[in-house]
Amino acid sequence: MKTLKKQIQLAVDAFKDGRILEAEDIATRLIIDNPKTAFLYNLLGLICMQQGKFDQAIKHYEKGIEIDPNFSTIYNNLGLIYANNKHDNKKAENFYNKSISLNEKNPEAYNNLGTLYKSLDRFDEAILCYKKAISINSNLVQSFHNLGEIYTTIGKFDEAKKNLYKAISINPNYTNSHRTLSRLIKYTQNDKHF
């Protein structure tokens, strides 16, 4: 088991380092010897998504769900594909909700569901999702940024600034928040963001 964990870590490290083909090769070989390890199918799904092979990613995710129907992360990843690449908002919403029903402590699923709602102009629901994600992980920069964008859209500029500043305090290099914030500020020479 320790050897499998080490080999999986090699694949994950290769993926994170952008060595996608190497990660794919390692994960594919590991599945041959460990066909009942759902995590490997999730990893292969992520690798395929990175390469734009969305149908193949879906097949890997579905295989992972066959092995472990309670693997929350896979449902979240399926939601991402259907929201961003297959443009099926209903399926995306269902997958995000399934992910959340299996793991109510998954901030990414709440954030992604919020992003889906935001794209559909369902701002109140999106705000609730982002706030829930933040209540689980108070360092989730994307949720603070997304709240800032929604509050900008609906004209709550003080709330927008507060959330964008929070995103920047978590990650000073998060350029999206700097850009959105710069649209809200009338700069003076002494402005701290200037």
Side-chain angles (χ1 to χ4, degrees):
M1 190 62 172
K2 275 189 175 179
T3 306
L4 176 59
K5 283 186 180 180
K6 284 182 182 178
Q7 291 174 324
I8 288 173
Q9 192 58 52
L10 288 174
V12 169
D13 291 344
F15 177 71
K16 287 181 178 177
D17 290 344
R19 301 186 323 265
I20 303 302
L21 296 178
E22 180 183 341
E24 184 176 25
D25 183 55
I26 296 169
T28 301
R29 283 188 280 120
L30 287 174
I31 280 180
I32 292 168
D33 294 330
N34 306 279
K36 297 291 183 192
T37 305
F39 181 86
L40 289 172
Y41 293 97
N42 183 59
L43 180 57
L44 260 179
L46 291 171
I47 291 166
C48 288
M49 281 178 66
Q50 188 71 29
Q51 297 173 339
K53 302 175 184 174
F54 303 113
D55 291 332
Q56 201 171 337
I58 290 169
K59 287 179 184 171
H60 290 305
Y61 290 141
E62 287 172 345
K63 181 67 177 170
I65 288 170
E66 280 178 34
I67 294 165
D68 182 359
N70 297 316
F71 199 142
S72 169
T73 303
I74 291 179
Y75 293 100
N76 179 59
N77 292 337
L78 279 165
L80 285 170
I81 287 178
Y82 282 101
N84 299 328
N85 308 103
K86 294 293 185 179
H87 309 291
D88 187 333
N89 293 329
K90 194 67 188 159
K91 275 191 177 180
E93 182 179 17
N94 290 338
F95 281 124
Y96 291 142
N97 281 318
K98 179 68 173 178
S99 178
I100 290 166
S101 75
L102 292 170
N103 179 5
E104 293 182 358
K105 299 291 184 190
N106 182 348
E108 289 81 12
Y110 283 105
N111 184 70
N112 294 335
L113 182 58
T115 299
L116 176 67
Y117 288 151
K118 183 175 115 183
S119 74
L120 300 172
D121 295 337
R122 292 165 61 180
F123 298 128
D124 291 340
E125 291 167 282
I127 289 168
L128 289 175
C129 287
Y130 293 138
K131 286 182 175 182
K132 183 64 177 177
I134 290 166
S135 75
I136 296 166
N137 179 355
S138 61
N139 289 316
L140 196 60
V141 67
Q142 296 88 352
S143 290
F144 284 106
H145 172 78
N146 291 334
L147 273 174
E149 286 206 330
I150 284 182
Y151 285 130
T152 300
T153 300
I154 63 176
K156 293 187 174 184
F157 301 119
D158 289 339
E159 282 296 310
K161 289 178 191 175
K162 183 177 93 174
N163 283 283
L164 293 167
Y165 276 124
K166 181 62 178 172
I168 292 167
S169 75
I170 295 167
N171 181 355
N173 297 318
Y174 199 70
T175 56
N176 290 337
S177 290
H178 284 288
R179 186 180 323 111
T180 303
L181 187 58
S182 72
R183 294 177 186 145
L184 299 174
I185 296 175
K186 288 187 177 186
Y187 288 103
T188 63
Q189 194 67 28
N190 298 324
D191 193 288
K192 68 180 180 177
H193 190 253
F194 187 67

